[in-house]
Amino acid sequence: MDQILSPDTFDSSCPARTLLTRLADKWVMLVLLALRDGAMRNGALLRRINGLSQKMLTQTVRGLEREGLVARTMYDVVPPHVEYRLTAAGEDVARLVDQLDQWIRSSVAM
């Protein structure tokens, strides 16, 4: 009988480690927090997150999309535009990130 092993984030082949590594990326938490307010277009995200470049935004949202945390919607209008929004899983993670953000801000304010 095969034994089902629980995820081990210390194992480099563990999918949980892949997601944890993605969340530890420099811009990921800020993008998740920004998208908690609802769907946003590319330019709005760039204006909201000071210091984020177009290249890094593209890399960040593509990674979040691969992980199933962000959904991308392309609108076939003139000019064409794209919106990003959190998926249900993204909402769950963003809620945790928001709690961490609140804790950090309250600690810094002391």
Side-chain angles (χ1 to χ4, degrees):
M1 179 189 240
D2 290 333
Q3 181 181 6
I4 298 175
L5 300 175
S6 61
D8 179 4
T9 34
F10 294 104
D11 181 348
S12 64
S13 64
C14 178
R17 182 168 173 172
T18 302
L19 182 56
L20 186 61
T21 300
R22 166 77 51 218
L23 293 175
D25 182 85
K26 181 176 181 177
W27 299 106
V28 165
M29 290 193 189
L30 294 172
V31 169
L32 291 171
L33 286 173
L35 291 175
R36 281 208 77 200
D37 294 333
M40 294 180 84
R41 290 173 63 174
N42 194 56
L45 280 167
L46 288 171
R47 285 188 298 277
R48 179 75 177 109
I49 304 171
N50 189 8
L52 178 60
S53 70
Q54 178 61 62
K55 178 182 177 183
M56 289 311 303
L57 175 59
T58 300
Q59 288 178 4
T60 301
V61 294
R62 282 184 183 163
L64 290 170
E65 192 175 8
R66 276 192 303 277
E67 297 296 338
L69 301 176
V70 167
R72 178 180 187 264
T73 304
M74 178 94 164
Y75 292 93
D76 192 22
V77 294
V78 178
H81 71 267
V82 173
E83 276 187 351
Y84 300 99
R85 65 170 176 73
L86 295 173
T87 62
E91 288 280 351
D92 290 343
V93 174
R95 193 172 13 266
L96 295 170
V97 171
D98 186 51
Q99 290 174 351
L100 179 61
D101 178 51
Q102 289 179 34
W103 177 79
I104 290 168
R105 286 187 285 138
S106 69
S107 296
V108 170
M110 290 182 167

